[in-house]
Amino acid sequence: MDILSLIGIALGLFAILGGAVAKGSSLGALWNIAAFVIVILGTLAATLVQTRKQAFLHAFRIVSWVFVPPKLDPRQTLERIVEWSQVSRKEGLLGLEDFSDAETDPFIRKGLQLLVDGTEPLVLRQILEADFENREAFDLQGAKVFESMGIYSPTLGIIGAVMGLMAVMQNLADPSKLGHGIAAAFVATIYGVGLANLLFLPVATKLKSIIQTRINYETMLLEGLVAIAEGENPRHIENKLNGFVQGQ
């Protein structure tokens, strides 16, 4: 569980709700169904027009990574790569078959199976690079769905505020309605700007960071597997890959 994400969202809510109360407003003043419809549905509509169906659905499959990131342990994986290289030098590449059969990670299992099959290092690199580069591109499309929401929602908030002020202008003859009407108009701006800067854009940035971390992890795996295919010394492989685990 990523506790920082939970703390961040909790602090964001507290900043808005607590700030409203501290300024003398009421929590009820922050709720307006018309503003909600304009901002949320409008943002969703613009995002749907922009995004492919597969990417849109994928975005909501990976959004849980913000709170529960994929479990990656580069240091432990480096130790496993060194172990595989030692086994391959003693028993040959066929000695890795048991590791391949027992592996649960699809990417690692595929790489080990390619080694067992005697795949040339260059071909091995091309296959695995195509695998994780395509997945990276698809994951980034998912992250950009939330980035798009963060771009559109402030504009929809302004549209909601303008529409609210238009309604206020129609009631200028009744001063009792002006204060409530103006306040309701600006609630839309709060929704749009608040959601963009406290939710949509931070989620998009966090997802991109997680995706990059996984790419670094899989790049380390790729280089390790290629080095094994080339018959490099286990100690040289370890020294080569140590840079990938710095700061992890």
Side-chain angles (χ1 to χ4, degrees):
M1 179 68 70
D2 189 333
I3 191 66
L4 290 182
S5 293
L6 293 174
I7 293 174
I9 288 179
L11 284 177
L13 288 173
F14 177 77
I16 297 297
L17 301 180
V21 173
K23 287 291 186 179
S25 181
S26 65
L27 296 182
L30 292 176
W31 171 247
N32 185 278
I33 186 63
F36 182 87
V37 169
I38 293 169
V39 175
I40 301 300
L41 294 187
T43 298
L44 182 61
T47 306
L48 287 172
V49 171
Q50 171 185 298
T51 312
R52 294 187 308 123
K53 175 183 175 182
Q54 294 87 343
F56 184 83
L57 295 176
H58 187 59
F60 289 91
R61 283 195 291 267
I62 67 174
V63 70
S64 60
W65 291 357
V66 174
F67 305 102
V68 186
K71 293 182 180 179
L72 304 174
D73 191 339
R75 295 185 183 278
Q76 183 186 57
T77 301
L78 175 55
E79 294 174 2
R80 296 174 68 195
I81 292 172
V82 173
E83 180 185 2
W84 298 336
S85 66
Q86 291 169 342
V87 170
S88 69
R89 285 175 71 86
K90 292 178 182 178
E91 305 176 18
L93 293 174
L94 286 175
L96 299 174
E97 188 167 12
D98 290 340
F99 292 98
S100 175
D101 293 340
E103 185 56 53
T104 57
D105 185 304
F107 184 78
I108 297 177
R109 185 170 62 248
K110 183 175 183 177
L112 289 174
Q113 189 58 55
L114 288 169
L115 284 176
V116 172
D117 292 341
T119 307
E120 291 294 323
L122 179 59
V123 177
L124 174 67
R125 178 183 295 278
Q126 290 172 341
I127 293 173
L128 294 182
E129 278 183 348
D131 190 42
F132 75 68
E133 285 177 358
N134 288 333
R135 185 170 57 253
E136 175 194 16
F138 192 42
D139 288 343
L140 286 175
Q141 287 180 30
K144 287 179 180 177
V145 168
F146 295 100
E147 187 175 61
S148 298
M149 290 182 174
I151 293 171
Y152 295 133
S153 65
T155 303
L156 269 297
I158 294 171
I159 291 173
V162 171
M163 293 174 67
L165 291 175
M166 288 172 62
V168 168
M169 296 297 289
Q170 295 175 358
N171 291 289
L172 287 178
D174 188 354
S176 64
K177 296 181 179 181
L178 295 183
H180 176 76
I182 293 172
F186 285 106
V187 168
T189 304
I190 294 174
Y191 285 175
V193 176
L195 286 171
N197 291 281
L198 295 176
L199 185 62
F200 296 145
L201 294 178
V203 164
T205 302
K206 190 65 165 281
L207 287 175
K208 288 181 180 180
S209 174
I210 292 169
I211 292 166
Q212 184 58 55
T213 298
R214 192 168 77 169
I215 287 301
N216 291 341
Y217 172 80
E218 292 185 344
T219 300
M220 180 188 73
L221 272 167
L222 168 65
E223 295 298 334
L225 293 170
V226 170
I228 293 172
E230 292 175 339
E232 288 192 30
N233 184 290
R235 182 171 296 180
H236 293 168
I237 295 175
E238 183 176 12
N239 290 334
K240 178 192 292 186
L241 301 182
N242 264 328
F244 286 97
V245 301
Q246 299 300 320
Q248 298 294 323

